[in-house]
Amino acid sequence: MKSFLNVKDLGDLKEALSEAVEIKADRYKYDTLGKNKTLLMVFFNNSLRTRLSTQKAAMNLGMNTIVLDVNAGAWKLETERGVIMDGDKSEHLLEAIPVMGSFCDVIGIRSFAGLTDRDYDYAETVYHQFEQYSGKPVFAMETATVHPLQAFADLFTISEFWKKETRRPKVVLTWAPHPKALPQAVPNSFAQWMLEADRQQIPLAGAGNDCGIDFVVTHPEGYELDALFTAGATIEYDQRKAFEGADFIYAKNWSCPGVTGGKENYGKILSKDMSWTVDAEHMSWTNNARFMHCLPVRRGMIVTDDVIEAPTSIVIPEAANREISATVVLKRILQGL
Ligand code: CP
């Protein structure tokens, strides 16, 4: 594998989930695969889970790691072509990328969305520049529009928690309020991976039973995600109806994706409606659903204390599975070197 950005890059999800099971049973099984190989992790913004889990995954595989925080200790980088660099940015990304590539074998990129220019963000310019100019395999550690390592961990977590059941699960992605404008990367990828798991008829329940996922997205009007990620999903604007019979509730805030109502609203907060905060009453509408969130999460905005602390909350095993998804992805990249 030379690039990991979308669910299709992983191919057969059944095989990928089997590899995740294998790695979880023995996370050091391939501990010589990365001998004398170096992973460079490039962060354009903050991270706790991605940083720790990806570095741990590299260590599981015997790799060396270098972490570069672009905004702390490196030269400020210009990312656009054609600009006169007379401001505070000392280096252009187009020189920095091949230099970075000369010191490593694999590059992970956390690029994040600017949330001002929809076309620029959705073109994934920074990620594709790394693909083009680094000369090395690259993978997304959350980019402007996707977070595939998170979505892979989410799918794996659902498969673990659902395997004793005898039917396909109902999984609901719900928007929830937040004080700051956030990207659409996590909900985009979550939708893309849930729908692909359904298309591939992944057996998540016990053997011989229904395969795939009933996937529903619920949000206030104006928050429609790009059909590139949600085509085939059920969109339900009534949050209560969406929650009824749900087995998994995946809460997340995202800013306006600029799909309906024009691009000028892209990245804006259209609503802070606190009636969308996931509380005990919301969870009582479900089928005793598991609560999921990628973290970090703002309590009192996205979810109440009692819901995130309840036995049905699986946010911690979900986060822990980031090590597993990163190990599988890095293993595949190393096997392709
Ligand atoms: N879920 C996630 O990617 O967390 P971090 O931003 O802390 O890496």
Side-chain angles (χ1 to χ4, degrees):
M1 190 162 60
K2 299 281 180 225
S3 176
F4 178 65
L5 189 66
N6 290 303
V7 66
K8 299 258 189 220
D9 296 324
L10 219 46
D12 185 330
L13 284 179
K14 200 172 161 192
E15 274 176 29
L17 288 170
S18 296
E19 283 175 53
V21 170
E22 180 194 33
I23 296 289
K24 191 146 181 177
D26 179 5
R27 57 197 75 199
Y28 304 109
K29 185 168 181 181
Y30 299 94
D31 64 355
T32 57
L33 191 62
K35 186 173 163 44
N36 294 334
K37 300 281 187 250
T38 299
L39 168 66
L40 172 63
M41 299 162 63
V42 183
F43 287 92
F44 287 83
N45 77 329
N46 298 336
S47 164
L48 187 152
R49 277 142 293 274
T50 305
R51 180 183 295 254
L52 297 180
S53 61
T54 312
Q55 193 158 2
K56 177 63 166 56
M59 289 158 64
N60 293 346
L61 297 163
M63 297 184 85
N64 304 308
T65 57
I66 304 173
V67 180
L68 179 69
D69 286 300
V70 169
N71 297 319
W75 301 112
K76 265 194 136 178
L77 292 175
E78 177 59 65
T79 56
E80 308 241 12
R81 288 189 72 247
V83 292
I84 296 169
M85 290 173 56
D86 60 353
D88 62 342
K89 293 176 177 165
S90 308
E91 179 158 21
H92 202 287
L93 193 59
L94 294 180
E95 283 80 58
I97 290 173
V99 172
M100 292 182 207
S102 66
F103 298 127
C104 65
D105 302 281
V106 182
I107 304 180
I109 303 144
R110 162 70 69 109
S111 56
F112 231 54
L115 294 181
T116 51
D117 181 342
R118 185 181 201 279
D119 291 339
Y120 182 83
D121 284 347
Y122 273 73
E124 291 289 6
T125 308
V126 171
Y127 184 84
H128 292 309
Q129 283 178 338
F130 271 91
E131 270 185 327
Q132 193 174 352
Y133 298 114
S134 69
K136 297 291 150 70
V138 297
F139 65 97
M141 300 195 300
E142 186 172 355
T143 61
T145 66
V146 289
H147 198 353
L149 285 174
Q150 180 67 53
F152 184 13
D154 295 335
L155 177 61
F156 181 49
T157 306
I158 289 170
S159 75
E160 287 186 312
F161 279 88
W162 197 246
K163 67 184 173 207
K164 293 199 183 113
E165 306 298 333
T166 55
R167 59 176 173 82
R168 58 201 250 133
K170 177 179 177 182
V171 177
V172 177
L173 168 63
T174 182
W175 178 93
H178 195 276
K180 290 171 69 178
L182 295 183
Q184 298 99 44
V186 168
N188 281 346
S189 280
F190 187 70
Q192 185 186 58
W193 285 66
M194 291 302 109
L195 290 164
E196 186 61 24
D198 188 47
R199 264 191 290 272
Q200 291 189 22
Q201 288 291 287
I202 298 301
L204 297 167
N209 295 298
D210 280 354
C211 294
I213 292 172
D214 289 331
F215 182 58
V216 178
V217 186
T218 184
H219 53 72
E221 287 192 29
Y223 280 98
E224 291 76 14
L225 295 163
D226 197 311
L228 191 64
F229 301 101
T230 55
T234 302
I235 312 296
E236 173 57 68
Y237 294 103
D238 182 331
Q239 194 188 26
R240 181 173 184 145
K241 266 194 199 157
F243 272 47
E244 281 167 5
D247 301 300
F248 293 87
I249 295 295
Y250 195 101
K252 185 73 184 84
N253 173 266
W254 61 91
S255 61
C256 174
V259 171
T260 53
K263 285 182 191 171
E264 64 275 9
N265 282 329
Y266 173 66
K268 292 201 166 63
I269 295 174
L270 305 180
S271 169
K272 287 189 186 172
D273 184 350
M274 300 292 278
S275 73
W276 284 74
T277 302
V278 180
D279 63 11
E281 191 194 347
H282 286 71
M283 294 304 281
S284 75
W285 303 332
T286 71
N287 181 32
N288 197 27
R290 307 280 184 171
F291 177 81
M292 300 179 74
H293 188 281
C294 63
L295 306 182
V297 69
R298 292 197 183 226
R299 290 182 179 212
M301 294 292 304
I302 302 281
V303 60
T304 52
D305 293 302
D306 52 345
V307 169
I308 198 164
E309 291 171 4
T312 43
S313 168
I314 55 173
V315 296
I316 303 304
E318 178 187 0
N321 276 337
R322 291 291 306 277
E323 176 188 346
I324 307 304
S325 64
T327 307
V328 171
V329 168
L330 272 174
K331 175 175 89 65
R332 290 222 183 161
I333 291 173
L334 288 169
Q335 285 169 333
L337 285 180

